Amino acid sequence: MGRIAAEALVDRLADWGVDTVFGLPGDGINGLMEGLRRARRRVRFVLVRHEEAAAFMATGYAKATGRLGVCFATSGPGAIHLLNGLYDAKMDHVPVLAVTGTQETSVLGTGYQQEVHLEHLFQDVAAYNLVVGNPTQLPGVVDIAVRTALARRGVAHLSVPNDIQVADADADPWQHVVPARPPVSSPVYLAPPGVPREADLLAAAEVLNAGRRVAVLAGAGALGARDEVLAVADVLGAPVIKTLPGKAVIPDDSPFAVGGIGLLGTRPGEQLIDECDTLLMVGTNFPYTEHLPEPARVRTVQIEADAARAGVRMPTEVPVIGDAKAGLAALLPLLDRKRDRAHLAKYRKAMERWRRDMAALEEPRRHPVAPQYVVGALNELAADDAILTCDSGTVATWAARHWTIRGDRQFFLSGNLATMAPGLPYAIAMQHAFPGRQVIAYVGDGGFAMLMADFLTAVQAKLPVTVVINNNNSLGQILWEQMVLGYPEHGVRYREPVADFAAWARACGAFGAKVSRGKDVARALKEALRHKGPALVDVDVDPDEPPMPGQVRYKQAKKFAEAFAKGQPRRATIATTLAKDRIQQFGKAGRSRKRGARG
């Protein structure tokens, strides 16, 4: 057999620098799998247990590397399974290419087995979406798909019929009037200019220089601009709020860092939003507008890469279109250094108090185990260049507050889609991308259970990922959301017995530890992190520990009380847990005051 069309497709991906494809075979992509086999010295295929995991892996790979993530899936149900992971890529603006199979061209439209019109199904998720109809067009449309995914920071989709996959790569049976021209030997992608217009920079500087209480809100778009964010914050005397996807923009122990805002934020972050008179938004399209300043009260400057997103969340006096790093570097010389540092000093002190409060909750003697302690212990033991992936749910709250960004640490989760289950697939993909770094998946029992089969994928690939499970035997975030709406919880706690995921890890041939006492947490984590291969620590944590907002508002407290009054089934244990939290915080504060008095 000569060179087939699928081989041309994979070769062109390799020309673009693609070295890893995540996927699951099926009869709809047998030709594509043959193309991967023939190109196996250039492109590694990672076999997964579920197509949703493949799409999450491609998305995680793109988030961590900044490069194109690629996933393959078969026709019909296989392609359908990709969608959740692909929407994660779309909504968090990372480049991913999905390649799927479909039925032979001769039977399309006949209701053939597993025939799903994928070009329609993927119409919303994909910025570029094509059913390939001619073998000769493949290298050219691969170029367009890849460029579109990179340029629009989103998803591209190619669906290749079975007969096209195995056809001669140069076949053009219809003899087009204008023959398809092969692309140039080396693919080219030119990123758009990153420096904003001078007039916009001057206008932005005028607003920021006039501000007396400036705040910076930095998101995932600023992850590569740490030095520039810190330099601008220093000149402006501005505390920096970080969105959760942008947690690694600056270190958490920076004198400018005040944590986040929203339900997973900090008290100083919320107070800063209420008190600032000028807001500089960098690389973020923060969706929770109720946690942003009142538009009439603040002047807003936004540095945004996509002109369509500028001013979407806040009326923006000066939208500045450009790359965060290049934009801040160009803005910096135009800013006047603020001599009054009282605004910044106030929030440094507020963050010191907040950190003491959070540390007080990391109490190893609590029973059931305090989830804050688990993350606190993990934070102390992990390397300074560790990568932490996180699921959605209460785990995101504990990670936001107790996982400290220091050194070259990174942090990834599903930001805008906020889906369950990406933590493990992200970690697998990132360990493939960074084999020399410590990669940790911090997940809930609900999210892990959805794609737990792919822990075996990590074992068989001998990937040293460490999985830490916050096992509260419930859908914890939904539980508390029901109560904040004023409803007693319903349908969110699983029955006994509590799952033992460590037994699954050991059955897979990996390290597995089940922990139910605080005194055993640190030892189990140390053993897992030292283990040469995949390791899993399943910790039974307090199911009644509430992820309280950084600053409780009257409406939230009122709804919480209503849920208690209507018959919240575990109100006694919840109240006891809340009381323990306050006692620990007051006790820690008292000990700190005594030490200060003695000093």
Side-chain angles (χ1 to χ4, degrees):
M1 183 183 291
R3 190 167 184 262
I4 61 174
E7 194 175 355
L9 182 152
V10 177
D11 280 341
R12 197 56 181 169
L13 289 177
D15 291 342
W16 275 98
V18 173
D19 58 13
T20 306
V21 169
F22 305 94
L24 188 64
D27 58 4
I29 57 168
N30 282 334
L32 292 174
M33 294 304 299
E34 173 62 13
L36 283 166
R37 187 191 70 81
R38 296 185 186 191
R40 61 190 178 277
R41 289 183 177 85
R42 302 183 72 193
V43 179
R44 166 179 55 192
F45 178 69
V46 177
L47 174 61
V48 306
R49 259 73 186 178
H50 196 294
E51 291 91 354
E52 183 179 2
F56 278 137
M57 288 179 195
T59 300
Y61 186 94
K63 286 184 177 183
T65 65
R67 298 163 56 197
L68 182 75
V70 182
C71 55
F72 279 26
T74 190
S75 57
I80 293 169
H81 284 159
L82 292 175
L83 284 173
N84 196 39
L86 295 181
Y87 270 102
D88 186 32
K90 174 186 177 176
M91 295 181 69
D92 279 355
H93 311 293
V94 294
V96 169
L97 171 64
V99 181
T100 64
T102 193
Q103 282 66 31
E104 288 80 358
T105 54
S106 60
V107 298
L108 288 176
T110 67
Y112 201 74
Q113 184 188 31
Q114 293 190 340
E115 183 184 356
V116 175
H117 293 284
L118 299 177
E119 72 276 20
H120 301 308
L121 183 69
F122 282 66
Q123 187 171 356
D124 179 62
V125 75
Y128 183 79
N129 183 23
L130 178 71
V131 178
V132 176
N134 189 319
T136 59
Q137 73 181 127
L138 264 170
V141 297
V142 167
D143 285 0
I144 297 170
V146 172
R147 286 195 192 102
T148 303
L150 294 171
R152 299 186 183 173
R153 310 296 297 173
V155 176
H157 170 236
L158 294 175
S159 187
V160 188
N162 269 331
D163 51 341
I164 301 292
Q165 295 173 31
V166 298
D168 188 295
D170 298 319
D172 187 6
W174 298 277
Q175 295 297 311
H176 294 287
V177 176
V178 181
R181 291 192 178 93
V184 295
S185 57
S186 297
V188 176
Y189 170 70
L190 298 176
V195 180
R197 294 183 302 185
E198 183 178 3
D200 295 337
L201 291 168
L202 290 169
E206 182 180 355
V207 171
L208 295 169
N209 287 335
R212 295 178 58 237
R213 299 184 303 279
V214 182
V216 176
L217 175 60
L223 282 172
R226 174 176 291 186
D227 292 343
E228 290 76 13
V229 171
L230 290 171
V232 167
D234 181 44
V235 170
L236 295 174
V240 178
I241 301 165
K242 301 181 293 181
T243 68
L244 199 49
K247 182 173 172 61
V249 170
I250 67 171
D252 281 315
D253 58 2
S254 164
F256 300 99
V258 294
I261 53 175
L263 295 178
L264 281 64
T266 65
R267 188 167 54 249
E270 289 287 309
Q271 291 170 347
L272 178 59
I273 283 293
D274 291 339
E275 295 181 4
C276 68
D277 61 16
T278 308
L279 181 65
L280 171 60
M281 299 175 67
V282 184
T284 180
N285 195 29
F286 188 77
Y288 304 105
T289 53
E290 68 270 25
H291 294 283
L292 292 173
E294 296 176 15
R297 188 179 54 76
V298 298
R299 303 180 74 183
T300 303
V301 173
Q302 183 177 7
I303 299 179
E304 170 59 57
D306 186 346
R309 293 201 297 266
V312 168
R313 306 301 179 195
M314 287 274 294
T316 303
E317 186 171 341
V318 184
V320 179
I321 307 306
D323 173 73
K325 185 178 182 70
L328 290 172
L331 178 64
L332 189 60
L334 306 176
L335 299 175
D336 299 332
R337 184 172 184 84
K338 297 191 185 297
R339 295 183 179 180
D340 185 352
R341 315 303 274 184
H343 173 59
L344 179 60
K346 173 182 178 179
Y347 284 96
R348 284 183 181 177
K349 291 180 180 178
M351 274 307 291
E352 289 172 2
R353 291 192 296 271
W354 172 264
R355 292 185 185 110
R356 287 196 298 268
D357 285 347
M358 293 301 100
L361 298 175
E362 298 172 9
E363 171 55 62
R365 293 169 294 183
R366 284 264 296 270
H367 187 79
V369 178
Q372 300 96 324
Y373 172 62
V374 178
V375 191
L378 181 62
N379 180 61
E380 290 299 317
L381 295 169
D384 284 350
D385 67 345
I387 299 172
L388 187 78
T389 69
C390 186
D391 263 359
S392 301
T394 55
V395 287
T397 300
W398 312 135
R401 295 174 179 173
H402 300 271
W403 172 257
T404 302
I405 297 298
R406 61 175 187 262
D408 294 324
R409 281 186 174 181
Q410 291 179 289
F411 175 80
F412 297 99
L413 82 171
S414 174
N416 287 299
L417 186 61
T419 180
M420 293 173 68
L424 174 63
Y426 277 10
I428 292 172
M430 292 173 193
Q431 193 73 80
H432 274 294
F434 301 103
R437 292 179 68 172
Q438 196 177 67
V439 181
I440 304 164
Y442 174 58
V443 297
D445 55 298
F448 181 77
M450 289 180 173
L451 293 173
M452 61 186 284
D454 272 291
F455 184 75
L456 187 55
T457 300
V459 173
Q460 293 175 339
K462 297 181 171 61
L463 295 175
V465 295
T466 301
V467 179
V468 179
I469 300 178
N470 182 84
N471 194 340
N472 55 21
N473 201 38
S474 66
L475 301 173
Q477 189 69 31
I478 308 304
L479 186 162
W480 301 108
E481 286 174 351
Q482 289 179 353
M483 293 181 64
V484 168
L485 290 172
Y487 309 138
E489 66 175 70
H490 180 70
V492 288
R493 296 190 196 256
Y494 293 106
R495 296 180 180 178
E496 302 290 340
V498 177
D500 184 354
F501 296 109
W504 164 243
R506 293 191 296 272
C508 292
F511 174 90
K514 181 69 168 178
V515 178
S516 58
R517 298 181 300 179
K519 67 177 185 178
D520 299 326
V521 168
R523 183 176 68 251
L525 292 175
K526 286 178 184 177
E527 291 179 15
L529 292 169
R530 284 198 302 260
H531 188 69
K532 298 299 183 183
L536 184 150
V537 179
D538 180 9
V539 186
D540 292 335
V541 299
D542 189 346
D544 297 309
E545 180 71 41
M548 299 298 288
Q551 182 169 275
V552 180
R553 301 181 184 275
Y554 171 75
K555 183 178 179 181
Q556 293 168 330
K558 181 173 180 288
K559 292 294 185 181
F560 203 78
E562 288 175 2
F564 269 54
K566 290 176 183 177
Q568 167 61 25
R570 294 172 67 100
R571 55 186 178 272
T573 51
I574 292 170
T576 300
T577 301
L578 286 169
K580 288 179 181 177
D581 288 348
R582 297 307 293 161
I583 290 169
Q584 286 174 346
Q585 288 176 337
F586 284 134
K588 183 87 170 185
R591 290 192 295 273
S592 297
R593 283 193 295 271
K594 287 179 182 178
R595 285 195 296 269
R598 287 196 297 268

